[in-house]
Amino acid sequence: MGHEGRRDGGERDNAAPHEPTHGGPPEAAYDGPHGGPPGPAHGGPHDPPSAAERPLWRQRDFGIFWAAQTLSVLGDSFALIALPLLVLQATGSLARMGLLTAVGGAASVLAALFAGAVVDRVDRRRLLIGCDLVRMVLYGVIPLVWLFGPQVWLLYTILPLCEAVGMLFAVGYVTVVRTLVRGVRLTEANGRLNATAAAAGVLGPLGAGLVAAWTGPATAVAVDAASFGVSAACMVLVRFQGRAGGGEDRPAERAGLWRDLRAGVSFLYGHPVLRALTALLFVFSFLTLGLNDLVIYHVKHDLRHDDDTVGTVMAVGALGTITGSLLVARVRGRFGLGATWTGSVAGCGLAFAGLGRAAGIPVVAALSAAFLACVAVAGTCSLSLRQEVTPEHLLGRVTSAFWTVQYAAAPVGAVVLTGAAQRWGTAPVGLVAGTACVLIAVAALFTPLRGPDRG
């Protein structure tokens, strides 16, 4: 949950994670007092390019941050498969898998209420490092306890804590990307982060499936714990600029956490595109948070395949995330946010509708890839939108408010989805949920999202 590319169903903004840009001109978000200093004046033809103009691969701090998150996602993708497998192995119940997802999601929602206010008040670099270290310790407890036998109750205790800490990390992650990369390269940077995270997500599920098949899912969780330690070590080397380095909030903005939360909600409500996007993603997240559990159950229970096959399906699905993340800047530049986001959500719905009916592993893998490609496109667009149009001193609070509203009903949705699938089967449930996602895309046509990209 600590990785933006996997947070939101619609981002991933995702989301995700992982999870997926409109508003005023992006330049306005970075010009003047809210967005940090404007770019340097242009001089003669031999002047060196500004940091914002350099290719991303030549920006040292972004490069280290990029590598740290890629390594962390590589380990985190192990837990994405390993935790549901631990529950399924111990209980054989899809509903119990969905309950674990719901408990973790509920913890994220509760943490999101105050995450933005915390992020906007503290040193963000220390916060990110601390979040990584806490999750390293918490996830590390699981394989140690499993040495003495399965303790499913422990998962329902540790996962909510990790998800709450992960929410703090995710909000901080969004805010520091903008301090590392500005201007025209912001959408490109988000796409690159999502793409390489997805590339790690290809190797992660393959490795997790092999490790789970050979030594058990608990060992895969140990890999995840180690990855957070590596990420923290890399983060120490990153030099953040501006607001990422410390909490120099204006005195009027330090009046209280509740006021901070209302500031984020007020900004969302006052921006017509963000307001519509938040409402649509509220429904989308309700429908899709439990999808990962449904796919794992379909492969293991309905199609009678092993853990290794689950890892292969997830790895192929991650190829879709890579494709969507690499294409998003070009697609949005050509068609605008409205058409890009709406088309991507419709694609998610079509893929979801077919997943439960897929009778072969290649079809399941292909539909998973299609779904995640569309999530990556939609998620990167919505993430970049918030970064572009939100004043920097409000970015943590706006992100926190956005995720709080978006995921408020998602834990309930995960319980409903997985419970219904266990009772009536994955095929009819997938068809209904997928159709509802297509209807979300249709509804978007009647909102400000249909307007021009800079509307």
Side-chain angles (χ1 to χ4, degrees), residues 9 16 54 65 88 158 167 172 181 200 252 274 282 299 316-317 342 364 366 435 452:
R54 291 191 209 119
F65 182 80
L88 188 61
I158 287 183
M167 176 57 72
V181 181
L274 282 178
F282 173 86
V299 172
V316 173
T342 302
V364 174
T435 301

Side-chain angles (χ1 to χ4, degrees), residues 106-195:
S108 291
V109 171
L110 291 175
L113 287 171
F114 304 107
V118 172
V119 168
D120 283 341
R121 288 164 174 257
V122 303
D123 184 312
R124 294 169 181 171
R125 179 170 173 269
R126 293 179 181 176
L127 176 68
L128 296 182
I129 294 171
C131 288
D132 272 343
L133 292 176
V134 169
R135 287 180 292 174
M136 178 187 70
V137 172
L138 289 174
Y139 277 123
V141 170
I142 295 174
L144 291 177
V145 171
W146 239 255
L147 291 174
F148 304 96
Q151 299 291 334
V152 176
W153 65 267
L154 183 67
L155 303 180
Y156 290 92
T157 302
I158 287 183
L159 184 62
L161 294 174
C162 288
E163 294 294 83
V165 174
M167 176 57 72
L168 283 173
F169 183 96
V171 175
Y173 172 102
V174 172
T175 62
V176 300
V177 170
R178 187 168 126 175
T179 70
L180 293 170
V181 181
R182 293 181 179 271
V184 296
R185 296 206 179 273
L186 184 58
T187 298
E188 179 187 357
N190 286 323
R192 291 291 184 267
L193 283 164
N194 281 345

Side-chain angles (χ1 to χ4, degrees), residues 7 131 179 181 219 283 311 324 348 358 390 419 427 446 449:
R7 277 220 41 80
C131 288
T179 70
V181 181
T219 307
V283 183
C348 288
T390 305
F446 300 93
L449 275 167

Side-chain angles (χ1 to χ4, degrees), residues 81 202 205-206 209 307-318 361 365:
I81 295 175
V202 174
L206 286 173
D307 294 349
D308 194 9
T309 305
V310 172
T312 301
V313 169
M314 295 296 180
V316 173
I361 292 300

Side-chain angles (χ1 to χ4, degrees), residues 52-53 59-60 114 123 168 176 182 187 228 253 259 298 320 352 386 437 441 448 450:
E53 295 170 339
Q59 299 187 32
R60 171 195 176 274
F114 304 107
D123 184 312
L168 283 173
V176 300
R182 293 181 179 271
T187 298
F228 284 117
E253 292 175 353
R259 180 174 175 177
H298 183 56
F352 197 169
R386 291 199 316 279
C437 290
R450 72 184 186 279

Side-chain angles (χ1 to χ4, degrees), residues 373-394:
C374 293
V375 165
V377 172
T380 302
C381 283
S382 63
L383 167 61
S384 298
L385 164 64
R386 291 199 316 279
Q387 291 170 323
E388 289 172 357
V389 304
T390 305
E392 190 164 347
H393 68 284
L394 284 176

